[in-house]
Amino acid sequence: KKKVLLLYNIKKLLAYITNFISATLSYFGSFFYKEEKKDTTTPSTTELKKEMMLAKQKKKRAGVAVKTALASSLLTKQGTSQVSTASISTTTGGTTTTSTNTQKEEEKEEEKVEQKEESKNQFVEGFYEYYTSGKYSDLDIEFEGKTYHVHKIILSYTSPYFKDLIDNSNENPLKLDYKDPDNLFPSILEYIYSGSTEFKYENIINWKHAANHFKIGSLKSKVSDFVSSNLTSENVLTLLDQCSKNVEENDSVVEAAIGYIAKHFDELYDKVVLLAGRKDIPVEWMFNLLEHKDMDKEFDPEGIEKVAKLAETIKEKRNFGKDILLNQQLIAALLKNNCLTAETAVSNLHFCEEHNLEIAKGCARVVASVFNNLENTDLIYNLKPETVIELLGNDELQVVEEDEVLQIAKSYIEKHPEIDEELKKKIMGTVRISFLSVDQLKVMQKDPPKYVNIEMIIDSLWARVGRLEKVDINDESMKNKAFTPRKTSMFTHEKDFDTKGILYFIGTKHGAESYTNPLTLGEVDVQSTSACENGGMKDIISHTPVACNLKNKPNSIITINLKDYSVRPTAYSLRHTLSRDSEALRNWELRASKDGKIYDTLLVHTGDAVLNTKGATHTWTIPNSAVKGSYRYFQLEQTGANSSSNNYMSVAGFELYGRLNIMKKKK
């Protein structure tokens, strides 16, 4: 009886295995070169999915057949004697065709990857009907009072969590211990069998938890993609709030949310400040926000102010106090995106000095770049001598005239008589004597400053002579900062065609000489699409009033090439011709370019009637939102009729304000 019973059970098991294999082969066989019989009955959702996949396969096989037929035809025309390539046999719908192996290895690899991915999708999508029917189920799962009939191989294939559970447990039914407040488990199983599901934003965090818990990599990716594509200003902060309850599991969601906030920082500013003050929100998230690439506010003064206030809120609400590590992280994050105001840069510089932090150099660089914006430059006299040397020696020190640096250096030494002689010499060595004004050089001749090496003065003057004579002094001793201009300076408008403009600065050889038109010096170039009726090209950028206008031609364009300079503009000035009150600009555009090819529109003037009389001037502020960086080329285009309803373009003066960058000249 025992033997008979054993044989009966073995026979039953073999029948079960045979049926499962038969069903599997039948399913996969439908994808390989078989003609599907038409079904006249109304198809189910599962059958529709199957038919769609079959159609896709047939279309692909048809494409392969066409390609092989074309290759075969080509070989026939060329003659097989001329071709020495390997032969490939391709079977499609029972027909075998031979083609040459003319495809590149890269294309083969791509096809293999595509086939592999397609096979994987077929596997996942193809077994959904077995989940809904429970057919061939070999495992039951009991969860929250329900029983689910599943298949070990399917679960193990998709979820490492289930694979480990099945490998290490003989229980059937299998009982799960998992918190599921939104009843997502049925949807998780459907995803495992079908590869698709629908998300709702209200419970997307729980979807993320489920994907992490069951270790389903593709589901994790789909959740992250859903979050990224559905973030809004209304839900992003709520999402972060939900993530704060389980920080470790939501890293990718948090990353997407922080990226969104960085891009929409101005819009979300008030809400972000409130969020930053909450102690349940990890401070690392705030650091990540401040360091995000979309938080770069270097040329956005209002943005810098907002970020600085946010940083102060973080410090105050999180009780940073004298915590060196937290303060250092905060300062480093602000430095990364140039988000220190003049005042916060100075205060942080003092903190870094006090604790001997290496990032003091970064703070000194920021203080240098905003030096002209400091309300009280006396703050510099409280710095350590090493920091002063770093600050005054910085290439990007924001000063209009080098004379300022000399006065600061002298005053610092006078206020700190206790520092040693070597440091005093280094402080005075930060002054670029070669770029001092003529008046200052005369003062130095009568009263030479202490701690300045006489050889340095001689070399500086020699370098200056070389610039005047346009001679390249190829001497190794000259190749240091003392003989090169500072790379950036900030020029702020005070009144129309004052001495604070960039073209005036270039025309005075960086303040070293009396003014000469930059075009005459060869420092800039001016061209126009129309010839001048009055005046010449140099008069278009004249600092003093002149008569200048182009001939009567529609859409005339003036292009100013700054050559070895670039400018991030904040304002610009124009002057009307001195010859007449009429024919003044009314419709024109200001554009700028980095390469002379692609131009950004900075300002559009339509019916602008501020220039009314001969020699009239005006200065326009350029919105920061329109500026995309520093430019070498500036264009003025007259886009409509002038005040006299014709097309004479009258421009007899042009000036720029903003941040000047002096680029290195190529030999």
Side-chain angles (χ1 to χ4, degrees):
K1 287 182 179 180
K2 288 183 180 179
K3 289 180 180 180
V4 170
L5 184 61
L6 179 61
L7 287 170
Y8 173 79
N9 288 332
I10 291 173
K11 185 178 179 181
K12 188 176 180 181
L13 178 62
L14 287 172
Y16 174 84
I17 294 172
T18 302
N19 287 337
F20 183 82
I21 293 173
S22 176
T24 304
L25 289 173
S26 174
Y27 175 76
F28 280 107
S30 67
F31 291 99
F32 295 97
Y33 325 123
K34 279 190 176 182
E35 191 68 26
E36 182 80 358
K37 292 181 180 180
K38 293 183 179 178
D39 188 359
T40 56
T41 60
T42 305
S44 65
T45 304
T46 305
E47 289 169 337
L48 282 172
K49 284 185 179 180
K50 219 183 259 188
E51 286 179 14
M52 288 173 67
M53 285 192 289
L54 281 169
K56 187 176 178 182
Q57 286 291 316
K58 289 174 184 176
K59 186 177 179 182
K60 193 163 186 178
R61 290 198 295 273
V64 172
V66 170
K67 288 180 182 177
T68 53
L70 286 172
S72 178
S73 174
L74 183 63
L75 282 172
T76 304
K77 289 181 181 179
Q78 290 180 339
T80 54
S81 60
Q82 297 178 4
V83 182
S84 58
T85 52
S87 179
I88 297 178
S89 179
T90 306
T91 305
T92 306
T95 304
T96 302
T97 59
T98 303
S99 67
T100 56
N101 184 16
T102 56
Q103 291 183 328
K104 296 180 181 179
E105 289 300 320
E106 291 83 356
E107 292 176 350
K108 287 183 179 180
E109 289 300 319
E110 287 178 9
E111 191 171 347
K112 286 179 183 178
V113 171
E114 188 178 340
Q115 289 173 351
K116 185 177 180 181
E117 187 63 30
E118 194 168 319
S119 298
K120 183 178 179 181
N121 291 338
Q122 290 168 6
F123 178 85
V124 173
E125 295 170 5
F127 285 100
Y128 182 69
E129 65 174 289
Y130 295 103
Y131 168 65
T132 56
S133 66
K135 195 174 183 180
Y136 307 126
S137 168
D138 57 358
L139 178 68
D140 289 342
I141 292 179
E142 287 188 0
F143 181 68
E144 293 191 345
K146 292 184 179 180
T147 301
Y148 301 88
H149 307 294
V150 296
H151 307 79
K152 292 180 181 180
I153 189 171
I154 308 298
L155 267 62
S156 299
Y157 178 82
T158 309
S159 167
Y161 169 86
F162 279 117
K163 184 179 185 303
D164 291 342
L165 209 59
I166 292 168
D167 287 346
N168 296 295
S169 174
N170 294 319
E171 292 183 9
N172 194 1
L174 198 62
K175 296 180 180 180
L176 297 184
D177 182 18
Y178 170 66
K179 293 181 181 179
D180 187 16
D182 293 324
N183 191 32
L184 295 180
F185 187 68
S187 299
I188 296 292
L189 287 178
E190 287 183 9
Y191 177 81
I192 288 174
Y193 278 84
S194 69
S196 62
T197 189
E198 291 184 3
F199 300 121
K200 292 181 180 179
Y201 220 92
E202 294 75 29
N203 61 2
I204 195 64
I205 294 301
N206 287 333
W207 268 107
K208 177 69 173 175
H209 293 169
N212 288 336
H213 180 81
F214 294 109
K215 301 179 181 178
I216 306 174
S218 59
L219 185 58
K220 291 180 187 178
S221 299
K222 289 191 176 185
V223 170
S224 297
D225 292 342
F226 178 83
V227 169
S228 298
S229 58
N230 289 277
L231 281 170
T232 66
S233 298
E234 287 70 36
N235 65 28
V236 64
L237 296 177
T238 304
L239 188 68
L240 274 183
D241 189 36
Q242 293 175 5
C243 289
S244 66
K245 296 176 176 62
N246 197 331
V247 176
E248 294 180 0
E249 289 192 7
N250 296 304
D251 49 349
S252 60
V253 176
V254 170
E255 183 180 354
I258 286 175
Y260 185 91
I261 293 172
K263 285 184 179 179
H264 303 83
F265 181 71
D266 290 340
E267 178 187 352
L268 295 167
Y269 172 69
D270 292 332
K271 294 179 181 178
V272 174
V273 170
L274 293 175
L275 191 74
R278 287 176 43 186
K279 293 183 180 180
D280 60 322
I281 299 296
V283 70
E284 288 78 13
W285 292 2
M286 294 295 104
F287 291 152
N288 291 341
L289 173 63
L290 295 174
E291 290 177 342
H292 196 277
K293 60 183 179 64
D294 289 324
M295 288 290 284
D296 190 339
K297 307 292 182 183
E298 182 175 5
F299 301 110
D300 180 5
E302 292 182 3
I304 291 174
E305 287 288 343
K306 287 182 178 179
V307 176
K309 288 179 181 178
L310 175 62
E312 287 303 311
T313 300
I314 295 170
K315 284 179 66 174
E316 180 183 344
K317 299 294 184 181
R318 306 301 181 101
N319 299 318
F320 278 19
K322 293 292 183 180
D323 189 307
I324 297 175
L325 181 60
L326 287 175
N327 276 286
Q328 185 173 359
Q329 285 181 276
L330 182 62
I331 295 168
L334 293 170
L335 282 172
K336 185 174 181 179
N337 282 323
N338 308 290
C339 289
L340 285 172
T341 63
E343 285 68 29
T344 56
V346 171
S347 63
N348 285 319
L349 183 55
H350 284 302
F351 181 86
C352 292
E353 279 196 325
E354 181 183 349
H355 300 284
N356 295 316
L357 301 179
E358 185 65 25
I359 55 173
K361 291 181 179 180
C363 292
R365 175 183 58 79
V366 175
V367 173
S369 67
V370 296
F371 192 73
N372 274 356
N373 298 334
L374 289 176
E375 294 181 4
N376 181 13
T377 55
D378 289 345
L379 293 169
I380 195 173
Y381 301 123
N382 297 323
L383 299 174
K384 293 179 180 179
E386 293 81 6
T387 306
V388 172
I389 294 168
E390 182 76 29
L391 174 61
L392 298 183
N394 197 291
D395 267 349
E396 298 181 6
L397 181 63
Q398 191 189 102
V399 289
V400 175
E401 295 181 337
E402 193 66 23
D403 295 13
E404 294 179 50
V405 183
L406 175 62
Q407 295 306 322
I408 292 170
K410 288 170 64 176
S411 298
Y412 185 87
I413 291 173
E414 289 172 2
K415 293 177 182 292
H416 295 276
E418 74 282 358
I419 62 177
D420 62 47
E421 298 290 306
E422 193 61 34
L423 283 174
K424 290 177 181 177
K425 288 179 181 180
K426 287 183 179 180
I427 291 170
M428 290 303 296
T430 62
V431 180
R432 306 192 181 188
I433 299 171
S434 181
F435 297 94
L436 291 172
S437 67
V438 174
D439 291 338
Q440 187 59 57
L441 287 172
K442 289 178 180 177
V443 172
M444 285 182 68
Q445 182 184 16
K446 295 178 182 178
D447 183 21
K450 295 179 180 179
Y451 314 112
V452 177
N453 190 316
I454 190 64
E455 292 180 0
M456 177 62 74
I457 296 177
I458 294 172
D459 286 343
S460 297
L461 295 176
W462 179 234
R464 186 170 184 143
V465 170
R467 291 202 308 275
L468 289 171
E469 298 293 331
K470 297 182 180 179
V471 175
D472 182 18
I473 303 173
N474 192 15
D475 188 333
E476 288 299 322
S477 66
M478 298 293 176
K479 294 179 180 179
N480 62 49
K481 288 183 178 181
F483 311 116
T484 57
R486 298 187 189 274
K487 290 183 179 178
T488 61
S489 295
M490 192 69 191
F491 294 80
T492 305
H493 171 263
E494 292 184 1
K495 62 180 182 179
D496 295 352
F497 291 94
D498 51 20
T499 59
K500 306 295 184 182
I502 288 171
L503 291 176
Y504 183 86
F505 177 75
I506 295 172
T508 60
K509 293 285 189 74
H510 307 176
E513 304 171 11
S514 57
Y515 173 81
T516 303
N517 191 298
L519 184 62
T520 303
L521 293 174
E523 295 290 325
V524 303
D525 183 44
V526 182
Q527 295 182 358
S528 65
T529 56
S530 304
C532 284
E533 182 193 48
N534 289 311
M537 291 295 109
K538 69 171 186 173
D539 297 318
I540 290 173
I541 60 169
S542 176
H543 186 70
T544 55
V546 292
C548 181
N549 64 271
L550 303 184
K551 290 185 177 181
N552 188 13
K553 182 180 178 182
N555 300 103
S556 293
I557 298 175
I558 295 170
T559 303
I560 300 165
N561 178 1
L562 298 181
K563 293 187 175 181
D564 293 313
Y565 303 88
S566 67
V567 175
R568 183 178 179 95
T570 56
Y572 84 108
S573 304
L574 289 180
R575 181 189 291 109
H576 183 47
T577 182
L578 198 60
S579 60
R580 50 182 172 258
D581 295 332
S582 59
E583 295 171 353
L585 287 170
R586 288 294 179 266
N587 305 284
W588 76 100
E589 290 184 6
L590 173 70
R591 297 191 289 262
S593 172
K594 298 172 183 178
D595 57 6
K597 298 176 183 177
I598 301 173
Y599 280 83
D600 296 327
T601 300
L602 304 183
L603 274 177
V604 176
H605 300 266
T606 304
D608 193 333
V610 295
L611 301 175
N612 285 312
T613 58
K614 62 179 67 175
T617 65
H618 190 76
T619 298
W620 292 267
T621 299
I622 299 171
N624 185 67
S625 58
V627 181
K628 304 293 190 297
S630 292
Y631 304 104
R632 287 178 59 194
Y633 301 86
F634 289 84
Q635 273 189 355
L636 293 167
E637 178 178 1
Q638 186 168 248
T639 54
N642 60 29
S643 62
S644 301
S645 299
N646 58 47
N647 294 295
Y648 290 100
M649 186 176 184
S650 300
V651 178
F654 178 85
E655 184 58 279
L656 280 168
Y657 299 90
R659 177 169 288 184
L660 175 67
N661 182 60
I662 304 171
M663 296 178 288
K664 292 182 179 179
K665 294 184 179 182
K666 296 179 181 178
K667 291 187 179 180

